[in-house]
Amino acid sequence: MLKCLLCHRSSEPKLRLPWVLSWQPLERPVVCQACWQTFTPIMTSQACPSCGRAQTQRSLCHDCQRWPQQAFYNQALFTYNEAMQAYFEQYKFKGDYRLRAVFRAVLMARLASLQPAIVVPIPVTANTMVTRGFNQVTGWLSDGENSGWLKTKHQTKAVPQSQKKRQARLLTPQPFELTGAGPDLTAKTVVLVDDVYTTGRTIRHAADLILENGAKSVIGLTLAR
Ligand SMILES: [Zn+2]
Ligand SMILES: [Zn+2]
């Protein structure tokens, strides 16, 4: 018997073909089929090759044409829709840590397919760590992926990204620093994991820093775009 983590209804999971093809991890599903189908997977073959946005074909999207060339690209698993917004509301802002299980298996599967030498979760600020109590990204990853050597700088109270105008967001100063306690990045492929790719500014700042420290390439992996 499955008790859905999202709608809390009990059901008997049936393994029908559309279900098997719907990305839902086969072993011990944690959400019901009805809830799972409210999320919209992005097909990499039809996504922007730079930011991972869902499109009708694989070509550079309007936003990405404005970014300078960089040894970086992003893949996103799902389109940020209403269901995803509701998920983040419960998981991040209401702090229901059990909900990390909803996307853990699909995220870990995609991560494995990218064969990274090093996996780095985007850190949250010390402030967020105190108020939320956890990093939403490391919640999805298995133990041991919590690097700690990529840190957010101490800042005076930052305005949340979502409240800034697009132009102001793109001009924000580097918010991250490396502690020096990390692994040798020289010629490595690094995967940066984050929750949502919005303007790309945050994850590209982190990618810049890692590339400046010798990495060969950086791939972003975000749950939503
Ligand atoms: Zn459900
Ligand atoms: Zn793009």
Side-chain angles (χ1 to χ4, degrees), residues 6-198:
L6 296 174
C7 69
H8 309 296
R9 280 192 286 256
S10 297
S11 64
E12 202 61 65
K14 291 191 252 355
L15 289 180
R16 286 183 288 126
L17 190 62
W19 172 248
V20 173
L21 295 176
S22 74
W23 292 31
Q24 170 75 306
L26 288 179
E27 75 285 1
R28 295 191 61 216
V30 292
V31 300
C32 72
Q33 191 171 2
C35 285
W36 188 253
Q37 285 175 346
T38 59
F39 301 108
T40 309
I42 295 175
M43 298 302 143
T44 311
S45 58
Q46 294 184 347
C48 168
S50 177
C51 72
R53 160 188 276 160
Q55 302 197 114
T56 51
Q57 56 179 354
R58 191 160 175 78
S59 60
L60 212 57
C61 79
H62 178 74
D63 282 345
C64 286
Q65 288 169 16
R66 290 188 285 178
W67 286 112
Q69 286 291 312
Q70 195 186 26
F72 168 83
Y73 68 88
N74 190 68
Q75 282 194 3
L77 269 68
F78 296 90
T79 293
Y80 190 88
N81 62 4
E82 251 176 62
M84 192 57 81
Q85 188 181 8
Y87 169 78
F88 278 121
E89 181 66 33
Q90 286 298 322
Y91 178 45
K92 272 173 77 169
F93 301 111
K94 296 204 174 130
D96 187 347
Y97 193 57
R98 289 170 306 172
L99 295 188
R100 72 193 189 282
V102 175
F103 293 109
R104 179 146 65 184
V106 280
L107 209 77
M108 291 303 290
R110 178 65 69 90
L111 189 59
S113 76
L114 296 173
Q115 301 186 307
I118 298 171
V119 177
V120 190
I122 293 283
V124 296
T125 63
N127 243 352
T128 302
M129 210 55 197
V130 170
T131 52
R132 187 177 301 151
F134 62 91
N135 176 338
Q136 68 277 7
V137 177
T138 52
W140 293 317
L141 304 175
S142 51
D143 299 333
E145 313 277 14
N146 188 354
S147 71
W149 47 266
L150 176 70
K151 284 180 56 186
T152 52
K153 289 179 184 169
H154 281 291
Q155 285 169 318
T156 47
K157 222 171 165 49
V159 182
Q161 285 281 311
S162 50
Q163 288 173 26
K164 287 189 222 166
K165 291 220 162 69
R166 180 180 167 86
Q167 203 54 29
R169 274 191 308 234
L170 297 183
L171 295 172
T172 52
Q174 175 61 263
F176 301 112
E177 60 188 353
L178 297 182
T179 61
D184 181 13
L185 299 173
T186 309
K188 301 267 168 57
T189 296
V190 177
V191 172
L192 275 171
V193 188
D194 203 3
D195 50 6
V196 186
Y197 183 112
T198 307

